[in-house]
Amino acid sequence: MKFDLVIAGVGGQGNILASQVVAKCAMDAGYNVVNTETKGAAQRGGSVLSHVRIADGEIFSPLVPAGQADVLLGFEPLEALRYIGLLSKKGTFIINTAPVPTILANLKVDEYPSTEQIVAVIREKGLAGHFLNATRAAKELGNVLLTNVVMLGAFTAVSNILPPDVVLKKLLTMVDEKFHADDSRAFAVGRGLIGKEG
Amino acid sequence: MCKEFMLGNEAIARGAAEAGVRVVAGYPGTPATEIVDLCGGYPGVYAEWSANEKHAFEVATASSLTNQRSMAVMKHNGTNAAADFLMHVNFTGIRAGMVLVTADDPGGLSSQCEEDTRILVHNYAHLPMFDPSSVQEAYEMTKAAFELSEKTEVVFALRPVMRVNHAGGLVEHGELGAESRPAEFVIDRKRFVMSAVVEKESGGELRPKMRHRWLNAKQAELRAVMEASPFNSVEKAPGETGFIGCGIGYAFLKEAERIHGAKLPILKLSTLPLPEGKVLDFVRGLKRVVVFEEVEPVVENIIKQLCFEHKIVLEVLGRSGYLPKEGELSANLVLTAVEAALAGKPYPAPPQGQYVPARTRTQCSGCSHRGLLVALKEVVRGNGGVVTGDIGCHDAGTFEPMNLQATIYCMGSSIPMAYGIKKAGFDKPVYALIGDSTFFHNGLTGLASAIYNGADITVVIAYNSTTAMTGFQPHPGSANNLNQPVAPIEPGAVAAAMGAKVFRCNPYNVEETARVIAEATAETGVKVVVAEALCYLKFGREGRISYTPRQVAVDVAVCNGCGLCVRTFGCPAITLSDGKAVIEPSACNGCGVCVSVCKRGAIK
Ligand code: SF4
Ligand code: SF4
Ligand code: SF4
């Protein structure tokens, strides 16, 4: 058994917490786990990619090789596009469609592609997956910071490597008790988004 | 034995603690930073942030001479700062086991360069090195390095790369509880006084030459150690093409082997000096080998030389021309190389990638550096001056949209660079912009040099009381040291004592800062402007900020969409939308700096 997960996002979106939850659950289940984060030379708001590698045997490279990821969680559409090459042809993506503009795009040095363009480029590659607006869902729940929990919930709906209740329980052990109710709701909403996206 | 999930840096700290390290000294620098703090958390370990890497190395060596195991921690370019001392300690040797951790950053993911410290430490200083391929190995090698260092009396270096320092994995480790030993300093001037004195008993030879001979004689012993080391191993498989994996290169090679789907002849080489016997055994009968190493062709060249000496005809491919000469390895790069080499083909040119808009770095919203940069820019745009830059969060002011600093090299170079420009005859004002941690690291001597040489420059010290860029480690200008309160050394007081004219300002106040910098510029000689404000990200969490927070908003009736606030200022909380500036309330930290940036007064 080998399962490779990559989470692409922007610093501050909470993707590192999400990757730690998955890694810890896998460890509890007795798997071998190797993970790492690759951050661009960024203070805050830079591109952050988390790699989580799970196997029942040896794992060598801490980085998921291109074309090997079983699941790509894109917390931000441009970052998902940046790392889409990591996803296996047989893999699944879940991409949050709410963009976080780049500084250079704000300066008009770069052009930030439209969500339609990003969706088209990814669809063209013949990859399977889900586009959903996790940020909007989190906002509707009252806090954008719940985006990562929505995404984590969605993850458990596409991959059966870890039971959803185990993932949620682990998440709750890692956050302050006062967020438990919100996190549980966001997790359920995330699970529910899969299959319903337009 | 106990199994635990650890980061590479945690594993190194654990290995050191189990080996009985007593003194750990370092200077923060990604990817090595966490090791010092983590070591300080083990009972009986004294850990410190030294002002720079050379001093860390010196403190650690002195502890070793005092019979206590010690470790010096730095990143690759920090080792350059320590190189002066390195080139002496190799001649003297040490007493209690001592390890130098020099973390490399292939690809320059968070550095100004991607130099390979194996050249400095092994090829040049002739010290032995371990190159771990995994987190587990980083732990084991750290422990082994202490034992071997003590046995051979030379410093052992551990050279993890970013992908080992910051990878997490399950580590099987042992127990703490190394015995403490007496702190004895035994005077042995013949070894530890490195001076050009005549040695009577060796027929009047000079000491440096004698100690050099000692170091050269050590190499045979070190080679024997590496020959027996479990960190080097052969994996047999049929074929005429062999593959050599060094450090993390081995991990990528094993991954590539799995994807390739057939067993390959593999030699794992994780030490310097190389185990020559193992290498010769492996290559005999092969037609070619491909060496995967980060970053320079160090092992590749040694193998070529070895084959030449043993009259072995072998094609040795690697970083000298077959593989890309720059940048990190990856499993995909290695897989491509494996398949090309097996087919006897050249390494294929990489396909042109599709550009995806970059996320460049900038300061946090609410950071005081942004106010300082804007004020300094205002002054230099007015007088045609030049700003030399240094290392720290403020160095992002070099890029879009600020485009301010004209040079960035290494720690402390801003000040000598600035007065060098003046001495070359440049007739407009020149400014050196430097942070506080960097000022204590290597700015002090540059400032002394500037004053002594009658320079006419303005030095701007961004004093935010922490080494923010690497994760908020303290330094001599901070009011604490590894969580102990201390009296900070105030950079302005030091500069004044040296003879500089000192000015002060609060960088959150752009008008005041620009005025103070202009005032300083008007004076002659070496002027120092201390722009003092706490790092927002660190101290904001503790509820301490250097401004009165205010709610800012764009008055859309006044804003004409000129874009100044976005195009030249670049606070991440401000964007342009439908021809007007918009401040995202959830991203704004209310520092108010943007208010003085909008000359139309649209931000209130
Ligand atoms: S970490 Fe501190 S000094 Fe660095 S950019 Fe953020 S607020 Fe500024
Ligand atoms: S807020 Fe001021 S600086 Fe920004 S676009 Fe509007 S007028 Fe220009
Ligand atoms: S928008 Fe203005 S007040 Fe808010 S953080 Fe940025 S510069 Fe400071």
Side-chain angles (χ1 to χ4, degrees):
Chain A
M1 198 289 291
K2 170 199 89 81
F3 181 85
D4 287 332
L5 167 70
V6 287
I7 306 182
V10 178
Q13 284 190 314
N15 61 357
I16 292 177
L17 177 72
S19 75
Q20 282 169 350
V21 170
V22 174
K24 287 199 169 146
C25 291
M27 258 182 282
D28 291 349
Y31 292 118
N32 191 11
V33 179
V34 172
N35 79 347
T36 191
E37 275 99 43
T38 81
K39 300 178 208 173
Q43 239 58 59
R44 312 293 140 178
S47 171
V48 179
L49 181 69
S50 307
H51 306 243
V52 186
R53 312 201 68 193
I54 301 168
D56 50 15
E58 257 182 307
I59 304 169
F60 292 99
S61 161
L63 302 175
V64 175
Q68 295 284 315
D70 298 280
V71 172
L72 176 134
L73 291 185
F75 278 32
E76 198 280 339
L78 186 71
E79 296 312 311
L81 179 64
R82 196 186 306 285
Y83 297 110
I84 195 73
L86 294 178
L87 189 61
S88 154
K89 293 261 173 289
K90 287 175 268 167
T92 312
F93 62 78
I94 304 174
I95 296 172
N96 177 16
T97 52
V100 178
T102 68
I103 294 175
L104 294 180
N106 281 342
L107 299 174
K108 306 266 181 280
V109 174
D110 269 342
E111 202 189 325
Y112 190 104
S114 70
T115 308
E116 294 72 40
Q117 282 170 316
I118 295 176
V119 170
V121 172
I122 291 172
R123 288 271 185 236
E124 222 168 83
K125 294 182 191 290
L127 296 162
H130 310 266
F131 290 98
L132 42 88
N133 196 328
T135 305
R136 190 175 57 207
K139 268 190 195 149
E140 282 165 11
L141 287 163
N143 190 351
V144 244
L145 294 176
L146 292 168
T147 307
N148 61 344
V149 183
V150 173
M151 290 296 287
L152 198 58
F155 166 68
T156 62
V158 302
S159 164
N160 52 10
I161 166 148
L162 299 164
D165 52 321
V166 172
V167 175
L168 177 60
K169 234 189 240 155
K170 182 57 76 183
L171 169 74
L172 296 184
T173 64
M174 291 167 71
V175 297
D176 199 310
E177 208 163 323
K178 63 178 187 248
F179 303 120
H180 282 192
D182 286 349
D183 280 338
S184 305
R185 265 191 299 143
F187 191 85
V189 166
R191 279 183 65 74
L193 283 178
I194 294 296
K196 273 202 236 129
E197 71 270 15
Chain B
M1 277 291 158
C2 167
K3 233 180 181 181
E4 225 180 305
F5 191 80
M6 289 183 171
L7 272 188
N9 283 344
E10 282 180 88
I12 292 166
R14 176 80 201 183
E18 284 181 22
V21 76
R22 285 293 165 260
V23 173
V24 178
Y27 183 81
T30 312
T33 307
E34 297 86 354
I35 301 170
V36 173
D37 271 332
L38 290 164
C39 284
Y42 284 101
V45 179
Y46 167 79
E48 73 161 39
W49 291 117
S50 310
N52 67 33
E53 295 84 358
K54 178 173 183 279
H55 302 328
F57 203 171
E58 289 158 339
V59 167
T61 302
S63 310
S64 160
L65 301 192
T66 314
N67 195 34
Q68 301 300 319
R69 287 192 169 180
S70 65
M71 188 158 84
V73 182
M74 55 201 67
K75 71 184 287 186
H76 55 88
N77 36 13
T79 313
N80 297 336
D84 190 8
F85 192 78
L86 181 71
M87 293 303 158
H88 294 83
V89 77
N90 57 349
F91 276 31
T92 69
I94 44 82
R95 234 185 214 130
M98 175 171 167
V99 174
L100 163 67
V101 178
T102 165
D104 280 7
D105 186 9
L109 299 169
S110 57
S111 307
Q112 302 79 22
C113 67
E114 53 169 356
E115 88 172 86
D116 182 337
T117 40
R118 294 178 304 165
I119 295 172
L120 180 63
V121 178
H122 177 260
N123 295 13
Y124 192 23
H126 305 296
L127 294 176
M129 296 184 88
F130 284 150
D131 193 356
S133 66
S134 66
V135 177
Q136 177 74 37
E137 209 167 53
Y139 158 79
E140 285 166 15
M141 284 178 167
T142 307
K143 277 184 92 167
F146 277 100
E147 298 303 324
L148 292 168
S149 161
E150 196 156 295
K151 217 170 96 195
T152 57
E153 296 188 307
V154 299
V155 175
F156 263 61
L158 181 78
R159 179 254 193 176
V161 294
M162 171 75 98
R163 300 305 184 188
V164 172
N165 293 98
H166 284 171
L170 288 165
V171 174
E172 223 174 274
H173 65 76
E175 301 295 323
L176 294 173
E179 257 170 61
S180 66
R181 32 169 114 178
E184 295 165 336
F185 187 87
V186 183
I187 292 174
D188 181 354
R189 294 194 177 85
K190 280 189 173 331
R191 268 182 76 187
F192 302 121
V193 176
M194 280 310 299
S195 187
V197 291
V198 169
E199 297 287 12
K200 202 168 162 194
E201 52 272 39
S202 39
E205 295 239 60
L206 287 174
R207 186 171 296 163
K209 188 175 165 192
M210 292 303 304
R211 293 309 302 178
H212 193 181
R213 187 171 292 154
W214 173 86
L215 176 63
N216 287 333
K218 268 285 162 203
Q219 301 307 310
E221 184 185 345
L222 293 168
R223 271 196 297 275
V225 163
M226 298 317 190
E227 203 69 64
S229 167
F231 301 127
N232 300 309
S233 57
V234 176
E235 297 167 27
K236 287 211 158 80
E240 289 179 328
T241 304
F243 300 94
I244 298 179
C246 307
I248 194 75
Y250 172 76
F252 292 137
L253 179 56
K254 291 299 286 179
E255 194 67 44
E257 184 190 45
R258 184 186 63 75
I259 301 170
H260 175 67
K263 277 265 153 230
L264 302 169
I266 291 177
L267 172 61
K268 174 178 182 287
L269 290 180
S270 306
T271 72
L272 285 169
L274 292 182
E276 295 184 352
K278 271 184 189 147
V279 174
L280 291 170
D281 277 354
F282 180 73
V283 302
R284 282 204 172 94
L286 292 177
K287 271 206 178 133
R288 76 174 71 79
V289 294
V290 189
V291 185
F292 298 103
E293 59 188 315
E294 303 279 30
V295 169
E296 300 289 334
V298 172
V299 168
E300 181 186 340
N301 288 341
I302 298 173
I303 292 177
K304 281 179 180 159
Q305 191 181 341
L306 197 64
C307 288
F308 178 79
E309 283 163 5
H310 288 81
K311 304 196 169 49
I312 293 171
V313 180
L314 177 75
E315 200 182 353
V316 183
L317 305 174
R319 290 290 199 135
S320 69
Y322 187 72
L323 303 172
K325 286 182 176 166
E326 309 84 17
E328 269 193 298
L329 296 174
S330 68
N332 300 89
L333 186 157
V334 173
L335 178 67
T336 308
V338 164
E339 288 178 341
L342 288 173
K345 288 193 180 140
Y347 183 83
Q352 176 76 39
Q354 182 81 38
Y355 176 74
V356 177
R359 284 195 197 272
T360 47
R361 64 201 189 85
T362 182
Q363 288 89 27
C364 305
S365 62
C367 175
S368 69
H369 291 334
R370 196 170 274 108
L372 174 61
L373 290 162
V374 127
L376 184 55
K377 188 155 106 176
E378 223 170 272
V379 176
V380 296
R381 292 293 183 268
N383 62 23
V386 164
V387 180
T388 58
D390 225 300
I391 313 298
C393 289
H394 48 80
D395 71 18
T398 313
F399 316 119
E400 294 283 356
M402 211 57 91
N403 292 322
L404 181 61
Q405 292 97 314
T407 60
I408 287 191
Y409 286 85
C410 56
M411 302 288 286
S413 47
S414 60
I415 301 173
M417 291 285 294
Y419 84 78
I421 292 173
K422 285 302 279 187
K423 294 289 178 190
F426 187 74
D427 62 355
K428 307 240 166 54
V430 182
Y431 302 83
L433 177 56
I434 188 168
D436 44 359
S437 189
T438 311
F439 177 69
F440 288 108
H441 177 285
N442 209 359
L444 284 168
T445 47
L447 184 64
S449 188
I451 294 168
Y452 175 60
N453 287 296
D456 181 15
I457 56 168
T458 308
V459 177
V460 180
I461 303 177
Y463 182 23
N464 66 0
S465 292
T466 187
T467 317
M469 204 177 189
T470 48
F472 318 119
Q473 293 74 27
H475 58 69
S478 305
N480 80 88
N481 184 0
L482 282 164
N483 302 324
Q484 298 296 318
V486 294
I489 304 173
E490 199 273 303
V494 180
M498 281 187 179
K501 298 177 193 115
V502 176
F503 299 76
R504 289 169 211 277
C505 58
N506 176 356
Y508 282 112
N509 185 334
V510 177
E511 287 88 0
E512 172 194 314
T513 303
R515 194 188 65 240
V516 170
I517 294 173
E519 264 171 39
T521 312
E523 301 272 327
T524 52
V526 177
K527 295 87 60 170
V528 171
V529 176
V530 181
E532 184 174 357
L534 296 172
C535 162
Y536 171 80
L537 197 62
K538 174 174 170 60
F539 298 100
R541 288 174 190 165
E542 299 166 14
R544 294 163 61 201
I545 48 176
S546 298
Y547 60 87
T548 318
R550 58 203 266 189
Q551 238 183 5
V552 296
V554 179
D555 183 342
V556 284
V558 183
C559 172
N560 68 352
C562 72
L564 194 75
C565 54
V566 172
R567 261 198 299 283
T568 71
F569 180 60
C571 172
I574 315 177
T575 49
L576 278 179
S577 173
D578 298 330
K580 302 275 176 188
V582 181
I583 294 177
E584 168 59 40
S586 68
C588 169
N589 289 315
C591 70
V593 172
C594 54
V595 173
S596 34
V597 170
C598 174
K599 300 296 179 216
R600 285 181 68 84
I603 305 181
K604 290 177 179 136

